[in-house]
Amino acid sequence: MPRGKRLRGEELVEQLNAVVAQLIKENRKLKRQVENLTAKATSRASGTVDRGLRAIQKRAQKALGAPVRRRRRTAAKRTIRKKTTG
């Protein structure tokens, strides 16, 4: 949400109610997705299900404002290959 003027009283309550309603709606949607992916887990490779669950987790963390954890690069990926001239 963009920062603007400071809300007071009734406006603040209305905005908070709207945000809570949006989070509840998103939560229901995510729960349905988790149930569908869990049901598919028996019929599909677990990698597909894991990717789907990780995507849902990222969306939930983003919605709640939690910092997203990123994977660290391995040392091999960070090294730069030098070109040899002959």
Side-chain angles (χ1 to χ4, degrees):
M1 288 187 293
R3 288 187 164 202
K5 68 176 187 172
R6 183 172 271 202
L7 301 177
R8 296 192 180 177
E10 197 171 310
E11 293 174 335
L12 181 60
V13 172
E14 287 177 15
Q15 184 183 22
L16 288 173
N17 282 335
V19 171
V20 169
Q22 183 179 2
L23 286 172
I24 290 170
K25 183 178 178 180
E26 182 72 14
N27 186 34
R28 287 182 186 139
K29 182 178 175 182
L30 292 172
K31 281 184 180 182
R32 281 193 300 271
Q33 288 178 354
V34 168
E35 288 171 0
N36 289 336
L37 288 170
T38 303
K40 291 178 184 178
T42 56
S43 63
R44 287 193 179 174
S46 63
T48 304
V49 174
D50 288 341
R51 273 194 306 273
L53 290 173
R54 277 195 300 271
I56 292 171
Q57 182 184 21
K58 283 182 185 179
R59 287 177 53 203
Q61 287 176 340
K62 184 178 177 182
L64 295 174
V68 177
R69 291 185 62 194
R70 298 181 189 256
R71 290 186 181 183
R72 299 186 92 176
R73 291 182 171 188
T74 60
K77 289 182 181 176
R78 279 188 269 150
T79 59
I80 300 171
R81 294 182 186 168
K82 294 183 181 178
K83 292 184 179 181
T84 57
T85 56

